[in-house]
Amino acid sequence: YGFDMDYTLAEYKSPEYDFLGFDLVKERLVEIGYPKEIKKFKYNPEFPVRGLWWDNLHGNMLKVDGFGNILFCCHGLKFMKAEEIAEKYPNKFIKLDDSRIFVYNTLFNLPEIYLLACLIDFFQNKKDYKEVKDG
């Protein structure tokens, strides 16, 4: 159980709430043209953590400390190695820049984080799709 975003006394049940949100967004994505295969995605409540940064430039999820040091980095469902991180982020450091970074800082973001990771992983591993700079 928990509080609503404005700290009212609305109750929700987690992880049931997370599973429902994940499934509803999958259905909507298929309705608007995403491949039907994404319906097979299953929510894993152990993957996402609160406080991840989404990097629009490289399509990575980052866990960053209070000084901007990158603690770990994922591309899709793949955790990147230290040398891969250093390639994209010199000195394993990044500044918070609203034009490039979105911070997922609430518990309500957890299903969204995992769905985004699943989608990146799906498209990255499909031969029918090609990665391009502007999406």
Side-chain angles (χ1 to χ4, degrees):
Y1 294 101
F3 290 102
D4 200 353
M5 290 293 285
D6 62 358
Y7 297 99
T8 60
L9 294 178
E11 289 185 14
Y12 63 93
K13 291 183 180 180
S14 183
E16 293 90 345
Y17 175 86
D18 301 334
F19 281 94
L20 177 62
F22 184 83
D23 290 340
L24 289 172
V25 174
K26 278 190 319 187
E27 292 295 324
R28 179 65 182 137
L29 289 174
V30 171
E31 285 175 15
I32 64 171
Y34 276 71
K36 288 185 170 97
E37 294 102 320
I38 71 168
K39 286 184 176 186
K40 295 177 186 170
F41 296 168
K42 300 288 182 210
Y43 182 61
N44 176 1
E46 295 181 15
F47 179 87
V49 294
R50 200 168 88 186
L52 292 179
W53 291 16
W54 166 251
D55 177 6
N56 283 320
L57 181 62
H58 297 299
N60 295 326
M61 289 285 183
L62 309 166
K63 185 64 174 176
V64 180
D65 71 12
F67 302 102
N69 298 302
I70 299 170
L71 304 175
F72 69 81
C73 178
C74 291
H75 188 78
L77 299 172
K78 177 186 174 265
F79 284 85
M80 296 173 67
K81 295 178 183 169
E83 55 273 5
E84 293 173 308
I85 296 171
E87 230 177 78
K88 303 279 185 189
Y89 308 97
N91 302 317
K92 291 179 66 178
F93 175 83
I94 191 166
K95 287 171 47 175
L96 181 58
D97 173 359
D98 289 340
S99 67
R100 176 178 174 178
I101 302 294
F102 180 81
V103 180
Y104 288 100
N105 58 4
T106 74
L107 294 173
F108 293 97
N109 292 129
L110 297 181
E112 182 180 353
I113 291 167
Y114 189 64
L115 183 56
L116 186 54
C118 288
L119 288 167
I120 291 167
D121 193 69
F122 174 80
F123 287 113
Q124 193 80 44
N125 293 305
K126 282 287 194 185
K127 293 177 186 163
D128 301 345
Y129 299 96
K130 182 174 114 180
E131 185 175 350
V132 293
K133 183 180 177 185
D134 59 356

